[in-house]
Amino acid sequence: MDQSQPMPIYFKGMTESQKKVTQEIIDEWERDFEDSVVHGKGGYVEMIHIRDYVIAGLINLAIIIYFVIAINS
Amino acid sequence: MGLGLKINKDDVFFSMIPARKKDRIYSALDIMGVQICFGIAAWFFLTGSETGMLLPAREAIACVIFGNCFPLFLMAIIALAPARYGLEQMLSSVPVCGPRMTLINIIFFYVAVVGALALGSIMFGHAAILFWAAIFGGGSFLTTNYFFWAVLCLVVGWFFAYIGPDNMKWVINVAALFMMFVLIGLVYYIFAYHGYHEIFTAQPAAPVVVPGDPVMSHRWSLAVALEMNVGLGLSWTYFYGQWTRLAKSESGAYHGCQWGWGLLSCISGVFAALAALAIQQYDPTIWLIQIGKDTGSMFLPVIGLLLMAVANIMAMTTCIYPAAITAITHYPRLNWFTATILCCIPVFFCFAPGFYNSISAIYAIIGLVCNIYGAVLVTDYIFFTKGVFSMRRIFNMREGYWYWHGINPAAAIAYIIGLAFYLWTYNPITMVSMNGWFPYITAGIPTFVLCCAVYYVLMKFWVLKFWPLPILPTSKQPAAQQMEVRL
């Protein structure tokens, strides 16, 4: 392997055309999105927000409280 | 900037090619619709029903809601990495488990798929023979052979999976709405006909009995019911990425899966538990016939049986599509038709009558294998990678995330310890707890916590010292710098 080149694709069973398409998508990802994702921003799609975790956490907290009351009353 | 090669959406929907922004077709509501269709099916009816056979209403409802929603909350971030990279679930977990360990995950995944397909199709078969007998009278081939109807359900479900996620989206959304309305109607019927007091004072028909010890009997019933529901809640772990790779946002992927499989699908589990308490029968198909006798009309039974038919067919569809996408991802030369058919064939070996009545054991086992996989992925996301991977390394199965001979030893050891601890605490086949802890603690959630702890300690103090995380962005380094220290 040429050590000055990026790591090549190695995926058992992939046809040459699949390899070519995947290679292009990876190149595009690294060029346009990877840096953004590394820095906590979106990639192909918008990244998740803290408020999503908070909403899910609050609803599940309510479910836990309901469960404890229902089992112990 | 566009690509030199032209890739149409079908290439993405029916192959392992990463789904880019323009290939994303599922909003949060669409993902929710898919997961409602996947959730509301035999598994929720049967686990809900068995919960109602074990516990009185107040505890049964709490068990169904908590047992399904809380595990999904623990696992929900698994939806994010596939949505971020547009990759199928097993491929997106290669950076965590290593390429060779992914093969073990695929085997576990297909155990879950075959179990789910068999349960759904058998339930459809049971419902269909009763329906046919009620309308046209008994004694014919169609009223004695549930196998025929089960195969029919599988074939129709397969067809919708075969046409792909773009076309099936509309069918699924209509089916999800229909099922929600019918279920709310059936819950209303249960309360209107049997009354709040009757439901909430009804005693379960088949609780666990420890001779001479009513306190321990109740404790066992509660623990078995909770374990079964937690098992169902955990059993979705392998099915996130095949759908969320098509999500339009990470938030949509996160919420769609969590509430679609969780709180919204729970309505069917709650209905099943209440119906089992009111009618004192385990088999959901028998309730509907009983409802017909109670009301003197076939309207509700026909609507209810239609619900079960739609629910189970859509569940086949939403199970076969991810199974086929996983097959085609790891065996890229398969064509779409073969991949979808191959996922269905093992189901025929599960059509034995005993399988349908072993729901608690089946979901405890499926929950177990999904549990340990989920624990490893969640810990890795929160404490180590934050879901930031090198796509280039994922697609290099020899040098990329290779760890030790293609296996992440921290994940492998966490799997072994998790399996051993679970079976030591609770054997779902024999219902025996070797350490005697089971009726006091359940097995699923403690196993999840233990696996998280083991994986965290091993990664932090051992694995990352030998195989450090790659420095990203990858594109700015030559291959020599991308290689890691390997044993």
Side-chain angles (χ1 to χ4, degrees), chain A residues 7-8 10 30 34 52 70, chain B residues 58 251 255 392 396-397 474 479:
Chain A
M7 189 181 276
Y10 177 80
E30 290 177 343
E34 193 174 55
D52 294 307
Chain B
R58 183 172 41 80
S251 301
H255 288 298
R392 183 175 294 281
N396 187 318
M397 294 287 198
T474 319

Side-chain angles (χ1 to χ4, degrees), chain A residues 11-12 17 22 26 37 44 54 56 69:
Chain A
F11 203 98
K12 241 180 176 175
S17 66
T22 309
I26 291 172
V37 167
Y44 287 138
V54 173
I69 292 170

